[in-house]
Amino acid sequence: MVEHAEIRMVRRGGSKINFREPVITNDSRFLLCAAGESVNVYSTSTEEFVHDLQGHTDLVTGVVLNPSNHLQVYSCSADGTVRLWDFMDGILIKVLPHAKCHVDTHLSRSLFQLVAVHLPRSGDQEVEARELSAVLCDVSPHPGAVSFGREGEYIAATKGLQLEVFFFKKQKSYRFSLKSGMKKGVKNAFTCVSCHPKEDCIATGHADGKIRLWRNFNQKKEYTYTTLHWHHGAVNTLCFTPEGTNLLSGGIESVLVHWHYTQENQKDFLPRLGAAITHIAVSPDGSLFCTSHSDNKITIIQSCVKVSAIIQGLVKGDGVWTDLIIDPRSKALVLNGKPGHLQFYSLHRDKQLYNLDIVQQEYINEEGLDQFEVVKAAFDARGDWLATVEERRKKGAELEINLKLWAYDKLTQSFVLNTTVTAPHEDRITGMFFSPSPETTMLVTTSLDDHFKAWLLADHSDTKAEGFWSCDFVGGYHLLKPGCCSYSADGSLLAVGFQEVVTVWSPASWELLTTLSQPPGAIRDLCFGRLSCSKYLLGTSTKNQLCCWNLLTCSLEWSTPMDVSLLQADPLSENMAAFCSQSGSSDLFVFKPSEPRPLYSQKALCTGKVQHAVFAPRDQMLESCEERTQWLNRSQTSAQLTPLSRSLPQLLHTPAHVLPSASFLCAMFVRSLLVSSLFIVPDKIMVCEYVDIESQ
């Protein structure tokens, strides 16, 4: 029986921290922001993640400070609750479930209402908020389209070409409309709104880049407005400072514009903030500003218009072409980020460590422009080398490919470009792996040009010259196209899938050792077994087959019909993970190649197809772990024999050509003392982890 009751999926990082406007605390020491189903708390001085407020079961849609207690914060969520927190200690104080609000039947379900919720005074931790009343009907779902006016006397809301102002005491609203535009290309639509905190003035942003300052709006006929204009794109966000002396605006230009309220033609700028501004917030004392950006970043700015800190979340680019890989040195998750860059992201700290500019060309934000994109990346076993592939296909021209080799620089704690190979192949590169052998520094690439190539680092150990990379071998098989490749754990064997044929090579002599038979279908993934399962090679095919070959007999050990979309091996154990697509969702199976039954299975793990996955080492071991969850934590105490001693019987009866080297065995023993967890990405970063429910 497959056990999975004590294993659950939890979000470990990568949430959008730019989803809603952040909040700066009264003392300006902390910044709070919605992050998925949690509220993240950061230090404004060190940029470090302090802790998160967990309890919501759906997306957090808003965060606001409690006006009667500066150490508390309210959060609301799509789970239908408002929660009150002590954000300093991370303690949940009160849960306020919403009562359902009655909506007029003639209103369309696509319309949004602005609803007032009376927060009941009660000492109970959970109190239902029953008193709800609709303030405005048919409002924009964008939170930047609503703003409270002078000390809460009125509220302004914008949608389309209409501004509506509701006065609470009068219980009356006034509507002001703009024309769609008399001139060609004019876009008058409202995009955002902010009310002056002291005076009756409403600032509205518009799609054409203009800002309007509305006055005399407490009566329908005598309203006036003046116009400010600097932005060439839509105004994304507006915010008055606490005293109302300045108005801040931001848009696609990545520039914070600082308008002087009493001198409307005078303005200051903070340029080059890196990405389009989506939200602006100001601390209650006005000493700090912060801007949220489209690249999932929050910039903290001193009121003198100087950047003091940057909180960078996981950048979600146009795609993850590099797959998910782990940096052996920093244990960071590495994947595509900003165009032309790789981002190094710490899942344990939920923070981007740094960006590495791979393309090293200025990115031009213009639709339809052909630019280089990073499509492949790989590390060697020690993290001394990083290989990247970048592509650009111009209209009507051949594909441009660059292979780059980067050396780790201990002084700068980053990677420095060592070798650039222009046109390393004549067609797209399909696979790229470093040899894990400590005796040589070698990279293998496979391509649709019918060849695979071995790239070797020249030995310059006897001189002060830095080594460079060059092609050492070009291989092929009957003009078939290689789609994937994989190294054995000790680097003594290389498997290359040529369409429907699996070939096994010796990297020492580049001799073709054997070809393996398999059911029909092109090979999609190849993966060698590890440790006690090192005699196995696994592969998946387009004909929905998962195959396991025995390298000692060069025959098919077993196969099973499975539509495996992704196959991953744990580098620290014998375990493998297979993701299967079925009925619009993905199933997960964790197994050892030597055993017929899976260690763990989970049906409908997530909707859609899992695109990428990787095993990543844990930051610390779990205190206890039952045997049936060993695939998530290889405990040093639960197994009486060390991993090395368990492997010796198999090694003593294994032919020499597949034996690991002695140096590999030592490294294997050290790695076996580490533990792993499995990260998957359908559209966000998540992790499977063992949870002892009884102890919670």
Side-chain angles (χ1 to χ4, degrees), residues 423-592:
H425 285 273
E426 296 179 4
D427 206 336
R428 177 166 282 114
I429 292 176
T430 58
M432 181 169 66
F433 286 93
F434 277 97
S435 169
S437 172
E439 299 173 359
T440 182
T441 305
M442 181 184 294
L443 176 74
V444 168
T445 56
T446 60
S447 170
L448 294 178
D449 64 2
D450 304 341
H451 297 99
F452 73 88
K453 292 185 178 182
W455 307 86
L456 200 63
L457 177 64
D459 185 10
H460 284 275
S461 57
D462 56 339
T463 69
K464 293 184 179 180
E466 190 177 38
F468 61 92
W469 291 77
S470 60
C471 183
D472 182 64
F473 177 76
V474 179
Y477 185 81
H478 296 287
L479 299 180
L480 298 178
K481 298 183 183 299
C484 57
C485 64
S486 179
Y487 267 107
S488 61
D490 64 346
S492 63
L493 297 175
L494 174 70
V496 183
F498 286 91
Q499 292 175 221
E500 296 185 357
V501 181
V502 177
T503 61
V504 181
W505 304 73
S506 169
S509 60
W510 291 118
E511 175 188 0
L512 176 59
L513 300 177
T514 187
T515 60
L516 301 174
S517 61
Q518 72 281 329
I523 301 299
R524 290 195 296 201
D525 275 323
L526 285 173
C527 206
F528 277 92
R530 297 177 181 273
L531 303 176
S532 65
C533 296
S534 59
K535 64 180 180 180
Y536 298 109
L537 173 65
L538 284 91
T540 63
S541 77
T542 55
K543 296 294 185 179
N544 300 339
Q545 288 287 327
L546 173 61
C547 305
C548 178
W549 294 275
N550 189 321
L551 295 173
L552 303 183
T553 62
C554 295
S555 61
L556 187 66
E557 184 85 1
W558 55 262
S559 67
T560 182
M562 295 177 69
D563 183 14
V564 180
S565 59
L566 193 61
L567 182 67
Q568 277 287 331
D570 181 2
L572 307 178
S573 73
E574 299 94 341
N575 302 325
M576 290 195 173
F579 294 91
C580 304
S581 300
Q582 184 174 323
S583 303
S585 62
S586 291
D587 302 334
L588 168 64
F589 297 91
V590 180
F591 63 97
K592 293 182 180 180

Side-chain angles (χ1 to χ4, degrees), residues 380-398:
D380 74 335
R382 296 179 297 273
D384 294 335
W385 290 96
L386 167 66
T388 60
V389 175
E390 57 196 51
E391 293 180 356
R392 177 173 66 178
R393 186 185 292 276
K394 294 183 178 179
K395 295 179 180 179
E398 294 183 355

